[in-house]
Amino acid sequence: MGKGCVTVIKYFLFLFNLLFFIFGALIMGFGLWVLFDNQSFIAVLQESSDTVKVASYILIAVGSLSMAMGFFGCIGAIYEIRCLLGLYFTCLLLILIAQVTAGVSIYLQREPLKYEMAKILKNMIINYTGENRTTEHTWDYVQSTMKCCGWTSPGNWSENVLIKDNSENLYPCSCRNESLPGTDIRDVGMCEHLSSETPIYQTGCAASVEKWLLDNCGVILGICVGVAVIQLLGMILSMCLCQSVVQEDYTKVPKY
């Protein structure tokens, strides 16, 4: 392989590793957002199930490893170190296999995951008091911003313990439809209605939440596909460069 061709491969590999490092940072950042976010629907699921937390830890781990591999790939490419290039290829292969396995597993388990999500939310609605600032207030935020009430329908709230055991006509304040006449508007807790018709939204949140999840899944899928393409190109270029390195020159590696 000509010297000029080797130089082109080396700098292309450096560029791909830089992009790989950036995509790894994005994956890790998304995992951190899932783990620490308390103002979206994710927080409701996270409080009630360990599945979301485990997924966030996996994303953080994969993102961190991707960033490390991007760094070592850059060093191996610039200084033409075969052991780093070989390590880089092996780790990329293992990460790619893990990503494909995780994607297939999630796809095959999509129906059980939907069932688990519905079960968590219905249980939360039954036991809602308006005092849990993490889970219940986040669900209030979801209902008010998405203009919906309950999971499948407002009828889910008829099973709520406070509403069933109270003689007053109560409804969740976050379900309040501001376009209808009624009592004062609050963001959380229970409100009382005096009219014959409850001034709430008449559609459940299932469709809106599923749309929100699908929109975010599209972003995740796009990032994962981008990372996979960069991984494949990186593996091909690393092997080409590794085969072209006849003798390693460690004197080029900076010493600190």
Side-chain angles (χ1 to χ4, degrees):
M1 189 180 294
K3 185 177 180 181
C5 186
V6 171
T7 303
V8 170
I9 291 176
K10 180 168 67 174
Y11 286 104
F12 261 110
L13 184 58
F14 175 83
L15 176 62
F16 281 122
N17 277 289
L18 183 61
L19 293 175
F20 190 60
F21 181 89
I22 293 172
F23 275 114
L26 289 173
I27 291 175
M28 186 179 71
F30 182 79
L32 290 171
W33 172 73
V34 170
L35 186 63
F36 295 109
D37 178 63
N38 61 0
Q39 288 295 322
S40 71
F41 179 71
I42 291 292
V44 178
L45 298 180
Q46 188 183 112
E47 185 75 11
S48 305
S49 175
D50 291 332
T51 304
V52 176
K53 290 182 180 180
V54 171
S56 66
Y57 288 133
I58 292 174
L59 288 171
I60 293 170
V62 170
S64 302
L65 185 59
S66 299
M67 291 174 67
M69 289 304 99
F71 174 77
F72 287 123
C74 286
I75 299 298
I78 291 297
Y79 298 109
E80 300 180 14
I81 302 174
R82 295 188 69 177
C83 63
L84 283 181
L85 291 171
L87 176 64
Y88 171 72
F89 176 88
T90 303
C91 290
L92 279 184
L93 181 61
L94 292 175
I95 292 174
L96 188 61
I97 292 172
Q99 287 175 339
V100 172
T101 303
V104 172
S105 299
I106 291 173
Y107 178 78
L108 295 176
Q109 294 294 319
R110 63 189 185 280
E111 289 302 323
L113 287 173
K114 287 174 66 176
Y115 174 77
E116 181 184 358
M117 181 173 65
K119 183 179 178 181
I120 290 170
L121 290 170
K122 289 179 179 179
N123 184 63
M124 188 272 298
I125 289 174
I126 290 173
N127 298 291
Y128 177 92
T129 61
E131 297 176 358
N132 186 322
R133 297 188 61 84
T134 302
T135 307
E136 296 179 352
H137 289 196
T138 301
W139 181 244
D140 286 326
Y141 176 79
V142 170
Q143 289 190 137
S144 60
T145 54
M146 292 187 174
K147 301 184 184 302
C148 56
C149 188
W151 179 239
T152 55
S153 71
N156 296 140
W157 283 100
S158 63
E159 299 297 321
N160 177 263
V161 175
L162 284 179
I163 294 177
K164 287 174 67 175
D165 297 342
N166 202 301
S167 58
E168 299 175 343
N169 296 320
L170 300 179
Y171 67 93
C173 299
S174 56
C175 285
R176 174 78 157 82
N177 188 338
E178 298 180 16
S179 63
L180 298 177
T183 56
D184 60 322
I185 300 173
R186 298 205 310 268
D187 294 328
V188 297
M190 292 293 185
C191 293
E192 182 182 5
H193 68 93
L194 304 176
S195 60
S196 58
E197 294 186 4
T198 311
I200 60 175
Y201 300 111
Q202 296 301 314
T203 56
C205 297
S208 299
V209 169
E210 286 180 10
K211 181 180 182 301
W212 182 89
L213 289 173
L214 286 174
D215 290 343
N216 283 273
C217 282
V219 174
I220 300 170
L221 182 62
I223 293 174
C224 290
V225 169
V227 170
V229 170
I230 292 175
Q231 284 174 330
L232 288 173
L233 291 173
M235 290 166 65
I236 294 170
L237 292 175
S238 65
M239 281 297 96
C240 291
L241 183 59
C242 190
Q243 290 178 349
S244 69
V245 177
V246 179
Q247 185 175 0
E248 295 173 307
D249 185 3
Y250 290 101
T251 61
K252 296 186 294 182
V253 181
K255 296 178 176 58
Y256 299 99

